Amino acid sequence: LSISPDEPEAHYNLGKALTMTGQLDEALRHLREAVRLKPNWPVPLNPMARILFTHPDPKMRNTSEAIALAERAAKLTKYQNATILETLAAAYAAAGQFDRAVTTAEAALELASAAQADKLAIRIRKQLQLYRQAKP
């Protein structure tokens, strides 16, 4: 970043790394910058949404923004990315929109199964059980 501060991929990679170390506020800053630099790139929208609906600090949680980001990522990928749809379903569930969470998770499961992404499909099936019980 010191060599090329306007490189969206560098901001994304740093944001992902910071997420893994629990530095969520700083991760969000870099992910937001990646989106600012490359607005129609869905990749950084997904971790941004996840951070926003799972942030350990309730003051930092923002399910409305998380849903908006995940919906934008889903639209940019023409609703054909199972991981992004999984995030969107989880954001809906975090906001208490369980009917939408179930419908979206079912679509994600269909895509994951068709792609033979077995680990992802197993994870989505477990999430679906929770959403059907109105649990995020």
Side-chain angles (χ1 to χ4, degrees), residues 12-77:
Y12 167 73
N13 289 332
L14 182 54
K16 284 290 286 182
L18 290 166
T19 299
M20 290 185 256
T21 63
Q23 299 175 64
L24 301 180
D25 297 339
E26 189 67 10
L28 267 176
R29 187 174 75 75
H30 285 285
L31 293 168
R32 286 186 195 283
E33 184 63 8
V35 171
R36 186 188 72 75
L37 293 167
K38 196 172 180 180
N40 292 323
W41 187 31
V43 174
L45 297 171
N46 201 54
M48 283 174 62
R50 285 201 168 272
I51 290 170
L52 287 168
F53 69 77
T54 62
H55 201 292
D57 181 353
K59 293 176 187 172
M60 294 299 295
R61 255 182 253 138
N62 187 335
T63 55
S64 296
E65 185 181 2
I67 289 169
L69 292 168
E71 285 177 340
R72 184 169 157 208
K75 185 176 181 179
L76 286 167
T77 58

Side-chain angles (χ1 to χ4, degrees), residues 110-127:
E110 188 176 314
L111 290 170
S113 296
Q116 298 179 343
D118 297 334
K119 289 181 182 179
L120 178 59
I122 289 167
R123 188 171 68 227
I124 294 169
R125 276 191 197 94
K126 289 178 183 177
Q127 292 166 350

Side-chain angles (χ1 to χ4, degrees), residues 93-117:
Q97 299 177 29
F98 294 105
D99 290 341
R100 293 179 88 182
V102 167
T103 301
T104 305
E106 288 172 343
L109 179 58
E110 188 176 314
L111 290 170
S113 296
Q116 298 179 343

